[in-house]
Amino acid sequence: MLDGTPRPDDDEMEVEEVQSAAATAKASLPTSQQQQQQHYSREDEIEKLRTSGSMTQNQAEISRVRNLSRVQMGRHEMEPWYFSPYPVEFTEEEMIYICEFCLGYHGEARQFERHRLKCTLLHPPGNEIYRDDYVSFFEVDGRRQRTWSRNLCLLSKLFLDHKTLYYDVDPFLFYCMTTRDEHGCHLVGYFSKEKESAEGYNVACILTLPQYQRKGFGRLLIAFSYELSKREGRLGSPEKPLSDLGLLGYRAYWQETIVELLMDGKRSETTVEELAALTSMTTNDVLHTLQNLNMLRYSVR
Ligand SMILES: [Zn+2]
């Protein structure tokens, strides 16, 4: 069902172009998280989380520079890129130890080792909904797995510049991509998706963990999100703004997908609507991709 072959990334994309496009998207579109927060009624719990210091929704805090120096997860050590609202006492530690299965975090190696002896989780806590020779996808319900989902959001904020969701995980499903070996299913990346998106978004947040980037996994995540939309019989598009890396990944995916369709020899002419129906991409995304490729021809009917 999915083409997992890693491909060369779209390196030639002008950085300036990406940044200005991202800036335009950021300026023009309110995020649905902001809209949701207005309707949301679990104020008590949210207030508790905010005042206990482990969560924040203050924009100034969120855009602050990165606050953790190093993170260890499974076999990998990573240097975070951005601020993430882990409890403030963790910012003093040289290394934060993250359990790669439950995503719990520890500031001391000994405490973490004790945790590892007790932790029984070997994969994300949800249903395995896809498996091939190399990867497994798990669907995790934010409401049923609140702590795990919040831990995932904290972790991913370390590598996403604008993400603002931490505590309000109930309305989301998390599609988690893992690689399997004899030790368990290791988290590679994920995307979140609103259970009901009024705007027709098929992805809210998307991230490949840095230790797995540039191996073709991002493309697989995007492809999977469109396969879900196909099953739902809907067209979908990722929520804006996309991160800069996300935008690059999507542009490459859209171009490859459309060029492949146009080259498959099955049709002598086609329309934007037909391409959208075949790919589950929105007509807008098809149109912009064709414009970027300078492949549009207008005809009078
Ligand atoms: Zn654990």
Side-chain angles (χ1 to χ4, degrees):
M1 150 178 135
L2 296 168
D3 174 10
T5 315
R7 286 151 202 267
D9 290 341
D10 202 353
D11 278 327
E12 277 103 90
M13 189 79 67
E14 303 256 328
V15 172
E16 256 180 39
E17 188 194 342
V18 171
Q19 284 171 341
S20 74
T24 311
K26 281 171 194 171
S28 61
L29 289 159
T31 71
S32 72
Q33 280 115 331
Q34 281 165 354
Q35 288 162 357
Q36 263 170 20
Q37 278 164 19
Q38 290 164 8
H39 307 292
Y40 227 71
S41 59
R42 291 200 315 280
E43 269 99 0
D44 283 351
E45 191 191 10
I46 290 164
E47 189 57 33
K48 203 178 93 210
L49 286 164
R50 216 185 303 156
T51 50
S52 71
S54 62
M55 306 276 167
T56 180
Q57 61 170 4
N58 179 333
Q59 274 303 324
E61 290 273 289
I62 289 161
S63 55
R64 248 169 37 183
V65 289
R66 71 190 173 93
N67 51 335
L68 301 188
S69 32
R70 291 194 78 70
V71 168
Q72 190 201 75
M73 185 178 171
R75 294 182 294 113
H76 305 276
E77 261 185 49
M78 306 174 271
E79 204 164 277
W81 301 348
Y82 300 107
F83 173 86
S84 180
Y86 280 94
V88 68
E89 61 268 25
F90 285 74
T91 60
E92 308 290 317
E93 306 287 349
E94 272 172 35
M95 179 79 82
I96 301 299
Y97 303 88
I98 295 179
C99 174
E100 64 166 328
F101 297 113
C102 73
L103 307 184
Y105 41 91
H106 304 268
E108 284 171 30
R110 244 193 301 156
Q111 192 193 28
F112 172 65
E113 281 153 23
R114 273 203 301 277
H115 166 80
R116 285 299 307 142
L117 292 175
K118 285 186 296 179
C119 186
T120 53
L121 216 55
L122 292 172
H123 56 74
N127 295 325
E128 185 179 8
I129 58 168
Y130 174 80
R131 170 188 285 233
D132 66 21
D133 291 346
Y134 307 104
V135 305
S136 286
F137 271 84
F138 291 84
E139 183 186 65
V140 178
D141 186 324
R143 189 178 63 77
R144 297 173 67 171
Q145 300 293 342
R146 216 173 261 159
T147 302
W148 193 90
S149 302
R150 283 175 177 154
N151 283 343
L152 176 65
C153 289
L154 278 174
L155 170 66
S156 61
K157 180 62 193 73
L158 292 171
F159 307 104
L160 290 171
D161 46 0
H162 65 276
K163 190 172 178 301
T164 55
L165 168 72
Y166 306 115
Y167 49 82
D168 189 11
V169 292
D170 287 20
F172 292 88
L173 294 169
F174 296 85
Y175 291 93
C176 303
M177 182 168 64
T178 63
T179 56
R180 288 190 316 275
D181 66 18
E182 66 275 23
H183 304 295
C185 294
H186 309 274
L187 186 67
V188 168
Y190 82 102
F191 62 88
S192 56
K193 176 174 182 169
E194 276 180 285
K195 294 170 186 170
E196 299 291 338
S197 170
E199 300 87 349
Y201 295 132
N202 65 354
V203 163
C205 255
I206 183 162
L207 175 75
T208 305
L209 287 169
Q211 64 268 36
Y212 293 103
Q213 284 178 5
R214 307 194 65 82
K215 293 180 163 73
F217 286 118
R219 190 185 193 285
L220 198 58
L221 272 178
I222 294 173
F224 198 84
S225 74
Y226 281 105
E227 291 301 327
L228 290 180
S229 291
K230 282 178 199 169
R231 287 207 158 192
E232 293 166 8
R234 292 188 202 174
L235 309 183
S237 187
E239 187 177 318
K240 285 49 161 202
L242 285 164
S243 67
D244 293 353
L245 273 179
L247 187 63
L248 281 175
Y250 267 99
R251 280 192 178 170
Y253 175 82
W254 288 334
Q255 291 194 2
E256 285 166 13
T257 304
I258 285 181
V259 168
E260 256 169 46
L261 261 184
L262 295 176
M263 301 283 285
D264 70 3
K266 288 184 186 156
R267 54 195 78 73
S268 57
E269 60 176 43
T270 186
T271 60
V272 169
E273 286 73 20
E274 188 188 15
L275 291 175
L278 289 168
T279 58
S280 272
M281 289 168 57
T282 60
T283 50
N284 228 351
D285 290 339
V286 173
L287 195 61
H288 283 134
T289 305
L290 289 169
Q291 273 166 353
N292 283 344
L293 291 166
N294 200 17
M295 289 174 87
L296 271 185
R297 295 288 177 275
Y298 296 93
S299 65
V300 183
R301 301 221 161 187

